[in-house]
Amino acid sequence: MTFASRWGRFGTALGVAGLLLAAGCAKGTTPGASGGGGAVDEKAAVTITVGDRPTPDKPNDLKAFNQKVKDFMAKYPNITVKSTETSWQAQTFQAQVAGGTLPTVMSISFTEPANMIPNKQLPDITDELKTVDLTKDLNPNVLKIVQDANGRIYGVPTDVFSVGLAYNRKLFTQAGLDPDKPPTTWDEVRQYAKQIADKTGKAGYAQLTTNNTGGWMLTTMTYSMGGTVESADGKKSTFNDAPTKKALQLLKDMRWTDNSMGSRFLYNQEEVRQDFAAGKIGMVLQAPDAYDMSVKQFGMKPADFGEAALPQDGGPHGTLTGGSLKMISPKATKNEIVAALKWIKFDQFDKYTNQAAAVADAKSTIADKGFVGRPGITPLSESTYAQYNKWREPYVNVPIKQFQSYIDSTNTLKLLPEPSNKGQEVYSLLDPVVQQVLTKKDVDIDKLVSDAASKIDARLAR
């Protein structure tokens, strides 16, 4: 899921040139797409079903979607597109997979491919991607989320985020800290948080703790300290060790020894952004898209927003990444796969590869009081994204220099995926752990972690 709206929809991860990691795709020798046989016939009549159709309560979005379908079928008269409101939901998705009720193409979370690829629940689309000339436009580093050990590709990443540290530049200045030099280690975070609290009376640091976000951000901290939360096969928890305990001890020390976390300890995503925008919080773990809501919805001054790299401990280790990708039904024939990929390219990528479309999108974003050029991770290749940003450069309306630490980190920090097995259930069971550390002074961290590990192991074994 995305950072922008953790529980409802996937968000968009925009960025600036130079954010991409130059990792190469491995070449595999496994067979091509499993659905159907023979050669692809791009002129053959074919029908596909597209998921994620906007619901009637969003008439403008639905109108735009329907128009896009019409435009696509006008461009490809041999392809008939049907649509459905089917969308990814963590609680029901695997049942839909098992029941064979999924559309030809739809968006799913990055948490899914790690289990679906070895279980043959996604088709190999490597060769078909080349047929529609889409491979060269994709970020090789992000593609690893949907590749097997041989480098074969099983999905198309479309939206990506990675976690950094959002900080209030105004509070930094008031506390005597340099807003252009945010903390890079967790020891520095603790020092800066105390200085902000002592000098300004505001919370130097805040932590997400509710609606599964407590476990989500504890996982992020664990990653930054060199640990993991689940085994590679997703069958057992792995957080009952030093990194997670160190993360919790840090939070405990900041809360009870330093008194640098203010007086509010139950936060969901929107609540923490609101208090951050209001100048009540100095630092909080957030992806760069926090800028959008903080400024547009909650009135934060753009000059006050800063985004830094995720702090590390003994690293660099990496940062949590997530997002969405387009999956294609394992039942799809090769012709249907090609048709689905043409739809994905038309729907998701044309604005990145066509100057007129890129400029029109930028103008439309500004007209809607949105933001052009806000840094982030991109699903696009370096060359494609560099050209896209060049086209949009005259329309950039975000203070990019205030994201410099985060931008620099995209060349040094690994992108580490969320837990692959029952990730949301894992997060839910870790929420109380973080909450108790922040609300019970004498809590036993070892016991908390051990108890949580037992509960999560039981879930993972089901």
Side-chain angles (χ1 to χ4, degrees), residues 97-130:
V97 173
T101 60
L102 297 176
T104 313
V105 58
M106 64 177 286
S107 292
I108 63 173
S109 169
F110 273 13
T111 57
E112 300 294 352
N115 283 337
M116 295 182 73
I117 292 173
N119 289 332
K120 302 187 183 303
Q121 294 173 323
L122 293 172
D124 181 340
I125 61 173
T126 311
D127 299 329
E128 288 73 22
L129 280 167
K130 294 175 183 176

Side-chain angles (χ1 to χ4, degrees), residues 257-400:
T257 302
D258 301 345
N259 193 29
S260 63
M261 295 184 66
S263 58
R264 183 172 180 178
F265 309 106
L266 298 179
Y267 272 119
N268 65 25
Q269 180 83 290
E270 185 168 332
E271 292 166 346
V272 85
R273 289 181 174 184
Q274 186 169 11
D275 276 3
F276 176 73
K280 298 178 181 180
I281 297 169
M283 297 175 287
V284 61
L285 294 182
Q286 291 284 294
D289 66 357
Y291 177 89
D292 302 21
M293 183 181 288
S294 298
V295 173
K296 185 176 181 179
Q297 186 169 333
F298 296 132
M300 188 176 192
K301 293 181 179 179
D304 293 345
F305 186 96
E307 180 76 13
L310 179 70
Q312 302 289 298
D313 182 78
H317 297 295
T319 182
L320 181 145
T321 187
S324 64
L325 61 106
K326 293 293 184 179
M327 71 156 281
I328 295 174
S329 170
K331 294 183 175 181
T333 66
K334 287 191 174 185
N335 283 347
E336 290 169 346
I337 290 174
V338 169
L341 289 173
K342 287 181 177 179
W343 165 257
I344 293 168
K345 188 174 184 180
F346 182 87
D347 180 40
Q348 298 287 324
F349 292 96
D350 273 5
K351 70 177 181 180
Y352 296 121
T353 56
N354 179 282
Q355 182 172 1
V359 170
D361 181 73
K363 290 180 177 179
S364 174
T365 299
I366 291 173
D368 193 37
K369 297 182 180 180
F371 305 105
V372 176
R374 188 253 302 135
I377 302 294
T378 172
L380 299 172
S381 70
E382 186 169 5
S383 59
T384 300
Y385 211 53
Q387 180 62 70
Y388 171 69
N389 280 294
K390 186 175 181 180
W391 290 332
R392 289 160 60 93
E393 189 173 356
Y395 307 95
V396 171
N397 60 353
V398 174
I400 292 174

Side-chain angles (χ1 to χ4, degrees), residues 90-162:
Q91 294 79 11
T92 59
F93 177 67
Q94 279 302 322
Q96 291 174 315
V97 173
T101 60
L102 297 176
T104 313
V105 58
M106 64 177 286
S107 292
I108 63 173
S109 169
F110 273 13
T111 57
E112 300 294 352
N115 283 337
M116 295 182 73
I117 292 173
N119 289 332
K120 302 187 183 303
Q121 294 173 323
L122 293 172
D124 181 340
I125 61 173
T126 311
D127 299 329
E128 288 73 22
L129 280 167
K130 294 175 183 176
T131 298
V132 302
D133 196 27
L134 186 54
T135 310
K136 65 180 177 57
D137 295 323
L138 299 174
N139 181 342
N141 192 58
V142 177
L143 267 179
K144 292 178 181 179
I145 299 289
V146 292
Q147 287 178 302
D148 64 15
N150 293 315
R152 304 296 291 186
I153 303 169
Y154 296 81
V156 183
T158 54
D159 298 304
V160 193
F161 73 82
S162 69

Side-chain angles (χ1 to χ4, degrees), residues 199-214:
K199 297 287 187 180
T200 71
K202 308 297 183 181
Y205 177 86
Q207 187 82 355
L208 287 164
T209 54
T210 66
N211 294 357
N212 295 19
T213 64

